[in-house]
């Protein structure tokens, strides 16, 4: 419980929601700041689809994290004040159990034999770790995008463990337009001859790159792309223009870091996400939430549209939750939480001091 | 010059803007109504990327066209009054010269050896046909999407041949966000092992289907998709949900009709489209237009956004053109011109009677 990088290994069977189990369960995580003697200063941050548990650097030599300007000493989520923990999602490729993990039965990576993953599975794995760390209560649970889905599940499954819940650029279920985009991403990866039905020896980067480009469209608003490359001209068919080079650069960077199966498993978990799934009356599930909840919605987000977030907020209100909605104006679309950390940070600080 | 289906063959060399030539040049077209003795009742309709020159049926036995409710006796574009002609774009797969045409040198289809195609090439081929038909003047030239790009080029290259110009859901150049989407569509087709660098024996339908799904996202607004499938639930990873089935159905229908190379050539022509390309002062090109011009913009169009169409309108106004802008409200996005033919028809009728 002091600042650093950690790996947790459990040798209990970990059972997945839709069947299958793994053993061991491995979970990587990072912490910032010091746990107070009363254990009352914990902030759990959930990372999104592509980032890792490396939220911010621990030293000058350390590489910057995905929320570098948000977490650290004197920053909006101040590690002088809070004990911040971010857990690497199982299914992802940064060290927690995933399709890349070695299956003890075969001594080879699970690949496509890894059990189907749901958002609930990720939360259950986190709960095992946190129980083991004797962390039972949270000052706040904060998440963006997929991270907000996980945060919402925490608010529902363990409602009396947190004071504040912050849900940025997210929704309470997978919407058809989101599923449609992910279906195509999945199909592209599976079309790559190197994918080998998921049992590849080398990562099928061609398909993964194209899938990522497709995902990228939904992370930024088209108007932002048009603005950024306003002098863009396609001169000749075989001469890539600026926007093509930009997509290629970003997709290549992603495909050299991320594993195709991990990506596919996480996309499926997103498709299956719906906190109201098992409830005859959807409102019942929102009635469980006890935390003060902040929904931050960005007007240019075409992935988790303002409408989806307004619906999430309305569900919370209708269920009588203590909920607050911020409709933030920005041109950065879904990625705003990564770009405008100063404003988003201020929203969060103000909310946590209510 | 009476109603029917026709095929025109020219045995002059047809030279392409960016190099290369074909011989013969073949052009299919359909006409509706009768040409007046004064040749003053001609309406040229340009079709979009996927449809053919079959705008409407000619009899009850004939299959419906893509603008069935718009063109015909007593319909908004009334074939009792007008002589309507729609020309199959070269490059497309419905009978005009394209990568599917036989290269006389090899006696095999051109495939990827077909010359690079531009929108100007399509217009030049149309001009050859219409000159041959002795059609020199138009009451109106009307186009939607890609068809509006062709219409705009007509207005610029042959400004004194038309009274009215109607440009629906289009723009005056390819924007970065549009190019980005098409880049990914192209890459998906090329990833298909059956594509064989464009020299396939059987159409690479797997890649083509995925590309089409990706295109489809931009034809309809995500909110419309969410509305249409509001009861959609992804139950299990391998069980397709409603929106998946819908995309699959439409993509399969497209891929069984359209040729992959034709699609790729037309996408490239769209990427290269920019009427201001060769002008130091972009406004100069718009000053050429003499027709009364109507720009119809749809607020939910995420492909040719209202902003792009407002820019087109502004260019026309700044150049002193007689231009009118209709900002139409609809949830059907880019496809509105195919769906809301009653309203779009009324806009056009009102405009043509000014």
């Amino acid at each position: 419980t002091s600042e650093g990088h950690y790996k947790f290994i459990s040798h209990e069977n970990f059972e997945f929601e839709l069947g299958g189990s793994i053993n061991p369960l491995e979970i990587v995580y990072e912490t910032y700041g010091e746990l107070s003697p009363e254990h009352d200063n914990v902030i759990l941050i959930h990372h999104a689809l592509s980032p890792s548990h490396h939220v911010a650097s621990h030293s000058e030599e350390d590489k910057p994290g995905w929320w570098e300007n948000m977490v650290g000493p004197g920053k909006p989520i101040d590690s002088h004040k809070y004990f911040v923990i971010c857990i690497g999602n199982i299914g992802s490729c940064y060290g927690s159990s995933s399709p890349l993990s070695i299956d003890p039965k075969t001594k080879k990576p699970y690949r496509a034999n890894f059990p189907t993953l749901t958002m609930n599975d990720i939360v259950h794995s986190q709960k095992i770790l946190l129980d083991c760390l004797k962390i039972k209560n949270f000052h706040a649970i904060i998440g963006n995008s997929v991270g907000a889905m996980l945060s919402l599940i925490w608010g529902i499954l363990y409602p009396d463990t947190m004071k504040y819940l912050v849900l940025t650029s997210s929704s309470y279920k997978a919407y058809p337009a989101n599923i449609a985009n992910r279906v195509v991403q999945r199909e592209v990866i599976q079309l790559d001859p190197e994918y080998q039905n998921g049992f590849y020896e080398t990562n099928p980067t061609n398909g993964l790159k194209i899938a990522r480009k497709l995902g990228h469209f939904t992370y930024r608003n088209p108007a932002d792309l048009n603005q950024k490359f306003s002098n863009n001209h396609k001169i000749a068919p075989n001469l890539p223009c600026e926007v093509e080079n930009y997509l290629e650069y970003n997709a290549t960077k992603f495909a050299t870091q991320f594993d195709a199966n991990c990506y596919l498993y996480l996309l499926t978990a997103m498709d299956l996400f719906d906190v109201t799934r098992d409830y005859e009356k959807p409102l019942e599930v929102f009635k469980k939430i006890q935390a003060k909840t902040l929904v931050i919605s960005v007007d240019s987000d075409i992935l988790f549209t303002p409408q989806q977030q307004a619906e999430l907020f309305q569900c919370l209100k209708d269920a009588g939750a203590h909920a607050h909605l911020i409709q933030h104006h920005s041109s950065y679309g879904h990625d705003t939480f990564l770009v405008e950390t100063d404003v988003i940070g201020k929203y969060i600080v103000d909310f946590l001091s209510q």
Side-chain angles (χ1 to χ4, degrees), chain A residues 126-199:
Chain A
Q126 295 174 334
K127 182 73 173 132
I128 291 170
L129 164 67
L130 290 161
D131 281 349
C132 195
L133 295 178
K134 308 265 184 288
I135 295 173
K136 296 283 183 186
N137 293 295
F138 305 92
H139 183 68
I141 295 185
I142 296 172
N144 316 296
S145 189
V146 164
M149 298 177 189
L150 300 172
S151 303
L152 181 61
I153 293 174
W154 267 93
I156 292 163
L157 292 185
Y158 315 111
D160 57 353
T161 62
M162 76 214 67
K163 276 194 201 164
Y164 296 97
L165 194 57
V166 180
L167 313 172
T168 304
S169 302
S170 190
S171 64
Y172 72 88
K173 66 171 185 184
Y175 282 70
N178 303 141
I179 293 176
N181 181 287
R182 290 191 287 263
V183 166
V184 177
Q185 291 195 52
R186 243 195 309 274
E187 289 181 349
V188 172
I189 294 170
Q190 290 164 350
L191 182 69
D192 188 336
E194 297 194 357
Y195 175 65
Q196 302 281 335
N197 291 315
F199 295 97

Side-chain angles (χ1 to χ4, degrees), chain A residues 60-293:
Chain A
E60 289 204 355
E61 297 76 49
D62 205 6
K63 66 173 185 180
W66 58 269
W67 234 8
E68 185 68 22
N69 296 328
M70 188 67 88
V71 175
K75 294 182 181 168
I77 298 174
D78 192 344
S79 57
H80 278 150
K81 189 172 169 187
Y82 298 115
F83 177 69
V84 178
I85 180 165
C86 185
I87 303 171
N89 294 341
I90 60 167
S92 190
C93 59
Y94 292 107
S96 293
S97 292
S98 80
L100 290 172
S101 303
I102 299 298
D103 180 351
K105 289 195 200 102
T106 63
K107 317 281 186 226
K108 286 183 186 171
Y110 285 101
R111 305 285 185 204
N113 281 334
F114 196 75
T116 299
L117 182 77
T118 65
M119 293 292 166
N120 283 338
D121 292 325
I122 298 175
V123 169
H124 289 147
S125 74
Q126 295 174 334
K127 182 73 173 132
I128 291 170
L129 164 67
L130 290 161
D131 281 349
C132 195
L133 295 178
K134 308 265 184 288
I135 295 173
K136 296 283 183 186
N137 293 295
F138 305 92
H139 183 68
I141 295 185
I142 296 172
N144 316 296
S145 189
V146 164
M149 298 177 189
L150 300 172
S151 303
L152 181 61
I153 293 174
W154 267 93
I156 292 163
L157 292 185
Y158 315 111
D160 57 353
T161 62
M162 76 214 67
K163 276 194 201 164
Y164 296 97
L165 194 57
V166 180
L167 313 172
T168 304
S169 302
S170 190
S171 64
Y172 72 88
K173 66 171 185 184
Y175 282 70
N178 303 141
I179 293 176
N181 181 287
R182 290 191 287 263
V183 166
V184 177
Q185 291 195 52
R186 243 195 309 274
E187 289 181 349
V188 172
I189 294 170
Q190 290 164 350
L191 182 69
D192 188 336
E194 297 194 357
Y195 175 65
Q196 302 281 335
N197 291 315
F199 295 97
Y200 46 80
E201 289 299 318
T202 48
N203 201 23
T205 49
N206 290 328
L208 189 56
K209 272 169 62 181
I210 300 175
R212 182 60 175 187
K213 289 182 187 182
L214 174 47
H216 194 280
F217 298 155
T218 63
Y219 304 147
R220 290 295 178 100
N221 191 290
D224 175 56
L225 218 55
N226 288 338
Q227 175 72 29
K228 193 179 175 88
F229 300 103
S230 56
N231 292 320
N232 185 81
H233 281 284
K234 182 84 177 171
I235 310 277
N238 298 318
L239 203 64
C241 58
E242 276 181 68
V243 70
E244 286 182 75
N245 287 330
Y246 164 79
L247 287 173
E248 183 69 19
Y249 172 82
N250 281 289
T252 302
K253 197 172 144 200
F254 177 77
T256 54
Q257 286 173 358
F258 222 92
D259 173 68
N261 277 324
C262 290
Y263 194 63
L264 290 170
Y265 273 83
L266 290 166
L267 293 187
T268 297
M270 291 174 78
D271 282 355
L272 295 168
F273 175 69
D274 181 354
V275 296
T276 68
R277 182 187 300 276
D278 300 326
Y279 292 81
E280 248 185 72
K281 294 181 183 168
L283 216 54
E284 293 304 311
V285 71
F286 294 100
K287 285 188 179 161
K288 294 176 181 286
I289 293 173
Q290 297 176 24
K292 291 186 182 179
T293 305

Side-chain angles (χ1 to χ4, degrees), chain A residues 332-350:
Chain A
Y332 291 112
H334 185 65
D335 274 354
T336 300
F337 70 87
L338 293 172
V339 184
E340 296 190 349
T341 42
D342 48 347
V343 197
I344 303 295
K346 195 173 174 332
Y347 291 146
I348 295 175
V349 167
D350 288 352

Side-chain angles (χ1 to χ4, degrees), chain A residues 16-52:
Chain A
F16 286 76
E17 187 183 6
L18 298 182
S21 66
I22 57 171
N23 189 344
L25 168 70
E26 301 187 304
I27 302 179
V28 289
Y29 62 101
E30 292 193 28
T31 67
Y32 304 84
E34 295 294 325
L35 183 59
S36 66
E38 299 81 13
H39 287 204
D40 63 353
N41 70 334
V42 182
I43 291 186
L44 173 61
I45 295 179
H46 287 116
H47 67 79
L49 173 64
S50 337
S52 73

